Amino acid sequence: MALSLATILLQAGATVDSLSSAVADSIVNASGPVQEVTKVVVEEFSVLDLLGKGGYVMYPIGFLFAAAVFLFIERYLYIRKTAKLDENFLHTINDMLQAGNVQGAINFCKATSYPIAKLLEKGLSRLGSPIRDIEAAIENKAKVEIYNMEKNLGILSAIARIAPMFGFLGTVTGMIRTFHNISISNKIDISTIAGGIYEKMVTSASGLIVGIIAYVLYTLLTTMIDRTINKMEITAIDFLDILHKPASKA
C-alpha cells in the first residue's frame, strides 16, 4: 500500500514537471512573434507615414504652416529692429538742441538706423511751428511706422482661421472616401474604412495644430508691436519735453 502510494506521487510529480516545461516552452515560443508584431507596429507608426495618410488636403495645410513660420520670422526680425533705440540717443539730441544745432540734430536722426529716429526727425523738421503741429507730425509718422510693423499680420491671422477649415474639409473628404469604399466592397470592415478614417482624423488634427500655432505666433507679434508702440510714445513724450525746456527757461 505504501509502495503504491509512493508510485502515484512520483507519477504525479513527473506529470506536473512535464506540464511546467510544456508551458515554459510555449511561452518562449510565443514571445518571438509577439516581439516581432510589436516591432512592426512601432516601425509603421511614424510621423511622415501618418501625415501621408491625410491625402491631398495635407498639401495646403503644409503650405499654410510654412507661410505662417516664414511670416513670423520676417515680422519678428523687423519689429525687433524697430524697437531698438540707443539709451544716449535723446541725450545727444538734447545736447545739440541746447547748443542751437538743430540741423545737426536732424542729420543725426537721419544717420541713425533706428526707425524711432524717423519720428524725431519729423518733429525736428517742424521746429518753429506750434507745438501741436509738431505733435501731429510725429503722430502721423508714427502711424506709418505702426503700419509697417503690422504689415502682413492680417495674413497670419487669416492662416489661423483658414487652417482648421482645411482640416474640416479633410474630414468631409475622408468620410466620402469611407462610404465610397464601403459601396464598392459592399462590406464594412477595418480594411475598408481605415483609409477614410485616417484621412479624416489626420487632416482634422493637422488643421487644428497649424491654426493654433499660427494664432500663438500672431499673438506674440501683436504683443511685441504693443510694446514697441508704448516705447515710441515714451520717446515722443521725452522729446516734446526737451522741446519745452527752452520755452520754460524763457
Side-chain angles (χ1 to χ4, degrees):
M1 181 69 177
L3 181 61
S4 61
L5 181 59
T7 303
I8 292 172
L9 291 175
L10 290 174
Q11 290 177 352
T15 303
V16 171
D17 292 338
S18 61
L19 289 174
S20 299
S21 60
V23 171
D25 293 339
S26 62
I27 292 175
V28 171
N29 293 331
S31 62
V34 171
Q35 294 177 352
E36 292 178 357
V37 171
T38 303
K39 183 177 180 182
V40 170
V41 172
V42 172
E43 287 180 352
E44 289 184 354
F45 189 77
S46 64
V47 177
L48 293 178
D49 292 339
L50 190 62
L51 293 177
K53 295 181 181 295
Y56 293 106
V57 181
M58 292 300 297
Y59 288 104
I61 294 177
F63 173 78
L64 292 176
F65 175 73
V69 173
F70 173 78
L71 289 174
F72 172 76
I73 295 174
E74 188 269 335
R75 287 290 88 192
Y76 174 81
L77 295 177
Y78 181 84
I79 296 170
R80 189 178 66 173
K81 177 183 176 182
T82 303
K84 287 183 178 180
L85 183 65
D86 190 0
E87 295 180 356
N88 298 322
F89 181 75
L90 281 177
H91 295 291
T92 304
I93 292 179
N94 185 26
D95 294 338
M96 290 182 177
L97 291 178
Q98 293 296 329
N101 189 9
V102 177
Q103 188 59 42
I106 295 175
N107 294 334
F108 178 69
C109 290
K110 290 181 178 180
T112 304
S113 59
Y114 305 122
I116 297 179
K118 298 178 181 179
L119 276 66
L120 306 189
E121 177 191 347
K122 185 62 67 174
L124 289 171
S125 64
R126 295 291 191 275
L127 284 181
S129 303
I131 194 66
R132 291 187 178 180
D133 293 343
I134 298 176
E135 291 178 355
I138 294 176
E139 290 177 358
N140 292 333
K141 188 62 179 178
K143 291 179 181 179
V144 175
E145 294 299 325
I146 293 172
Y147 172 79
N148 291 332
M149 286 189 293
E150 294 178 345
K151 186 179 179 180
N152 294 331
L153 278 187
I155 299 177
L156 189 59
S157 176
I159 291 175
R161 296 191 297 266
I162 293 175
M165 297 176 65
F166 273 104
F168 179 72
L169 176 62
T171 300
V172 174
T173 57
M175 294 303 299
I176 294 174
R177 179 180 175 185
T178 299
F179 285 108
H180 177 70
N181 293 337
I182 293 174
S183 64
I184 292 177
S185 60
N186 199 24
K187 62 179 181 179
I188 301 177
D189 54 23
I190 296 299
S191 61
T192 304
I193 65 177
I197 293 178
Y198 262 124
E199 182 176 345
K200 170 183 178 296
M201 300 182 69
V202 170
T203 54
S204 298
S206 300
L208 287 174
I209 291 173
V210 173
I212 291 172
I213 292 175
Y215 182 75
V216 170
L217 297 180
Y218 173 80
T219 303
L220 290 175
L221 292 178
T222 53
T223 302
M224 291 179 62
I225 291 175
D226 291 338
R227 291 178 180 176
T228 304
I229 293 174
N230 182 60
K231 193 172 183 179
M232 286 182 174
E233 292 175 349
I234 294 174
T235 303
I237 292 173
D238 293 339
F239 173 72
L240 292 175
D241 289 339
I242 293 174
L243 297 183
H244 277 88
K245 285 181 180 179
S248 63
K249 288 182 180 180

